């Protein structure tokens, strides 16, 4: 039996958690107004490439002339998008997707992402990788102002803040929301006319930009671009808000931080070894960790074992 610990849940009772990491959701976004790429299909294969980051639930939301359609369910990507559910999402010009491990909130369908909400500016869809440390206080403040929540996840707190500020320009709304958030987040946000990528001020969670034909693509890891046949352009800067719309790309600097602080576990455990994060190849980082371990802990060994699978590069 695995060792079990008790960690206070942010919104509910205390609940037992296995001693394993549950921080590594995966997000995907694509904007393609000219029809050269089918966004729903690209999102499917993008989420498939990110499946290692979340195996509890998966979802895709698509923007088309009629608004935002979406499908999400519990399970792996191929299980969620079967029986024609992906076909029903085809025909749009933008899409975002999410694969989930729970960080706050139970593993329930109501907590699956992307979240789709209505605001003063119309419908908005959002997917989030990360964990807010002030989600509870923000939620209580919003509830005191009359907000109603349908989930127990901190992602809905972010969505509610953006909706609250949505009378402003969407970039202003996102910037004002960032000023209230504390913690880690990589976001993809979709409105009726754009897809936005947002990275937290310290760059704790990764978010990369790529291109597929004429479409701009956001993804948690660069390995996605190889899977969908695209090309990696660059990582978003810490605190950057990057907008893809019919006019191309436009970058805004949101919150500033004195220094960056990418989560070490991206290199150690979360990311696929064929991804590059902030200019560093994950496989090579793990190799160097293994080299340093060998030099600092010299032993006469017959076998070097990799535990878990992400340690293969270091073991080699």
């Amino acid at each position: 039996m695995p060792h079990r610990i008790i960690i206070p849940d942010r919104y509910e009772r205390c609940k037992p958690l296995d001693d394993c990491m549950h921080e590594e959701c995966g997000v995907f976004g694509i904007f393609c107004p000219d029809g050269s790429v089918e966004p729903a299909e690209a999102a499917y294969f993008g989420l498939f490439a990110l499946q290692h980051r979340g195996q509890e639930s998966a979802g895709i939301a698509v923007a088309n002339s009629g608004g935002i359609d979406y499908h999400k369910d519990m399970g792996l990507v191929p299980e969620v998008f079967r029986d024609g559910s992906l076909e029903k999402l085809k025909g749009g010009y933008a899409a975002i997707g999410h694969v989930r491990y729970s960080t706050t909130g139970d593993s329930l369908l109501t907590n699956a992402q992307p979240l789709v909400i209505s605001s003063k500016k119309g419908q908005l869809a959002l997917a989030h990788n990360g964990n807010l440390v002030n989600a509870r206080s923000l939620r209580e403040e919003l509830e005191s102002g009359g907000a109603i929540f349908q989930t127990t996840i901190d992602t809905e707190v972010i969505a509610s803040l953006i909706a609250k500020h949505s009378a402003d320009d969407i970039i202003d709304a996102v910037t004002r929301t960032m000023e209230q958030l504390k913690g880690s987040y990589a976001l993809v946000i979709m409105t009726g006319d754009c897809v936005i990528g947002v990275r937290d001020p310290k760059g704790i969670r990764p978010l990369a930009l790529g291109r597929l034909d004429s479409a701009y693509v956001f993804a948690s890891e660069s390995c996605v671009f190889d899977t969908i046949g695209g090309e990696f352009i660059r990582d978003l800067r810490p605190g950057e808000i990057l907008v893809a719309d019919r006019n191309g790309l436009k970058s805004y600097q949101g919150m500033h931080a004195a220094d960056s602080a990418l989560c070490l576990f991206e290199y150690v455990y979360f990311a696929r070894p064929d991804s590059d994060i902030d200019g560093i190849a994950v496989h090579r980082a793990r190799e160097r960790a293994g080299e340093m371990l060998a030099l600092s802990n010299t032993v006469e060994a017959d076998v070097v074992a990799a535990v878990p699978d992400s340690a293969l590069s270091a073991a080699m």
Side-chain angles (χ1 to χ4, degrees), residues 46-68:
L47 293 183
F48 195 87
L50 293 170
Q51 186 74 88
H52 60 288
R53 296 185 70 91
Q55 300 174 359
E56 292 183 359
S57 64
I60 295 174
V62 174
N64 53 47
S65 58
I68 295 177

Side-chain angles (χ1 to χ4, degrees), residues 8 14 32 47 50 53 56 62-63 67 93 104 138 167 202 257 273 316:
C14 290
C32 181
L47 293 183
L50 293 170
R53 296 185 70 91
E56 292 183 359
V62 174
Y93 49 83
T104 58
L138 288 174
K202 285 187 172 292
M316 289 189 288

Side-chain angles (χ1 to χ4, degrees), residues 133-245:
V133 298
N134 65 335
R136 181 176 181 177
S137 60
L138 288 174
R139 182 185 177 104
E140 290 173 349
E141 179 183 335
L142 288 163
E143 287 175 330
S144 296
I148 299 173
F149 288 84
Q150 302 296 324
T151 77
T152 58
I153 56 177
D154 50 5
T155 308
E156 191 174 12
V157 173
I158 301 173
S160 295
L161 287 171
I162 294 174
K164 178 182 177 180
H165 301 309
S166 64
D168 305 320
D169 174 82
I170 184 64
I171 303 304
D172 289 338
V174 172
T175 302
R176 292 180 65 184
T177 297
M178 291 177 72
E179 293 170 354
Q180 296 179 261
L181 304 180
K182 295 180 181 179
S184 62
Y185 51 92
L187 309 174
V188 285
I189 303 165
M190 182 174 67
T191 69
D193 53 14
C194 69
V195 173
I196 305 169
V198 184
R199 195 173 180 190
D200 67 70
K202 285 187 172 292
I204 300 172
R205 291 289 162 223
L207 190 60
L209 171 70
R211 189 155 190 163
L212 176 60
D213 294 334
S214 62
Y216 288 107
V217 183
F218 298 93
S220 290
E221 293 184 36
S222 63
C223 65
V224 167
F225 308 125
D226 295 326
T227 300
I228 65 175
E231 61 176 323
F232 169 71
I233 298 176
R234 66 176 178 88
D235 295 285
L236 270 71
R237 299 184 303 273
E240 184 176 14
I241 303 169
L242 190 57
V243 182
D245 60 18

